[in-house]
Amino acid sequence: MEVNWQEVFFQFIGGLGIFLFGLKYMGDGLQKSAGDRLREILDRFTTNPFMGVLAGIFVTVLLQTSTGTTVITIGLVSAGFMTLRQAIGVIMGANIGTTVTAFIIGINIGEYALPIAALGAFLLFFIKKNKINNFGQIIFGFGLLFYGLELMSDGMKPLRELQSFIDLTQSMSDIPVLGVIVGTLFTMIVQSSSATIGVLQGLYSEDLITLQAAIPVLFGDNIGTTITAVLAAIGASVAAKRAAAVHVLFNIIGTLIFVILLVPFTRLIVWFDQFLNLEPAMQIAFAHGTFNISNTIIQFPFIAVLAVVVTKLVPGKDVVLEFKPKHLDPHFIEQSPSIALGQAKEEVLRMGSFAVQGLNETFDYLKTKNTKKAELGYQVEDAINNLDSKITDYLVTLSGSSLSAIESERHSNLMDTVRDIERIGDHFENIIELVDYQLANKVKMTSEAMDDLTEMFTLAIDAVSKSIEALDQNDQEIARDVAQKEDLIDKLERKFRKRHIIRLNEGQCTAQSGIVFVDIVSNLERIGDHAVNIAEAVLGLRK
């Protein structure tokens, strides 16, 4: 029989596209149903590697992609919210979580794919409640996933008569490494192990490949899916690169172990089939699940070793900052509220040091246009927001304790200072976004405008730095100096606005550059206001 290559190709890539879209759409619906708090789940529930495994499984089931979980994890490691050892646990859990998709695919409901998609579309377009819409999105994606699989399976059927394809699958049975390479390359191209497992399940269901040939391809799929994590780590911190390296190393080690144990592993899957009377697609799902769960169990005790190995493989100084609170011990609230207040102040000072760092990174970004500075600025702002939430919660809990009149005043000042520092973070984030806009729209700034911004930026950074120093040392002289600097910032704002209007009238700058300039100046003036608020708390002038 002659193979119609156009029909095979079109059905396969069309089915693959619909499958990937359905998978993503279903994952987006699940994520919305979870309240879009997946990052917070990973941040809060990864106190140790075992909890990291559980969190990795849970988040991956919701996202329907281990790659997505790993990329979020790399972002959290890069931002300092998660240690490398915690990240290794999450990555292991993500590998287990992604097997759920294979089990879903293993349920033979392909003939109902279109009615399922129709039901999802009805819930999406005819019911206005958000919860129902999210559920409709999940159902619609679920239906498309199976419809895509059906198309791919139908497209691949003619290959069973093709001698060269039969020879290739026979070679993969005889040479397992070839199957690993095929699986790795295909998954690297598609960037979804779920998709390649789905294709594998389709091939096996149509008797186009033997179990002995399919299992090594499955191992390769797990290696290939690491490519996205590697790409996500390019340009990130050393710790993030190490997390990506762990993802690669974990899957390579697992593949090496199970290629050596291929014969007994294959016999185990055959036993599962005989004992449970599995459909062909479900056999592949069981193989996938057994491999990833066993790999995690085998390597879990060696998390510390993996961390050491990737530290050697990815050398360099780890510059990740510890953005989680260091001083907020809840036991002090009950035992000694006075000490708890002092601990809260130490955390506020840390938060202030991040604000100064964020301002410096923002200033560097304005001058150099180096996007790494912007990324670090955004990370610092995230850290400030995190500390704002944690310190505020701590102080609110502390307010229920017995505090003296002086301690109550200090408590109130700290609450206000936290709010001021958080607002400083918002303002330097605004400036980063303005520079992003400047780069995206190729807005040119005159040298005079840059000189004005440099002068005002330097003064604003100094004012914030000095206000935090005044708070630390309770030094009223430094606080008065901050008040003087803030007066100067206000005068500079008015002066620079007038200069800008003159430049605009003389045609030296464009309206776009004027918008960027005026907005940066306005944000710097507001930063000065928040700095003087902190100083006034030290002077006892805060209202």
Side-chain angles (χ1 to χ4, degrees), residues 115-163:
I116 291 169
L119 174 63
F122 177 82
L123 296 176
L124 268 172
F125 292 106
F126 296 104
I127 297 178
K128 300 302 179 186
K129 289 184 179 179
N130 283 337
K131 285 185 179 179
I132 302 296
N133 284 166
N134 293 339
F135 184 64
Q137 186 171 341
I138 295 166
I139 297 297
F140 185 68
F142 189 69
L144 287 186
L145 185 148
F146 279 99
Y147 183 58
L149 278 171
E150 285 290 297
L151 283 177
M152 284 192 288
S153 293
D154 289 344
M156 291 183 293
K157 278 180 183 176
L159 297 179
R160 70 176 70 188
E161 308 294 334
L162 196 66
Q163 188 59 44

Side-chain angles (χ1 to χ4, degrees), residues 70-87:
T70 306
V71 169
I72 293 172
T73 303
I74 286 170
L76 288 169
V77 172
S78 187
F81 288 105
M82 190 183 289
T83 66
L84 181 59
R85 290 191 183 189
Q86 289 169 335

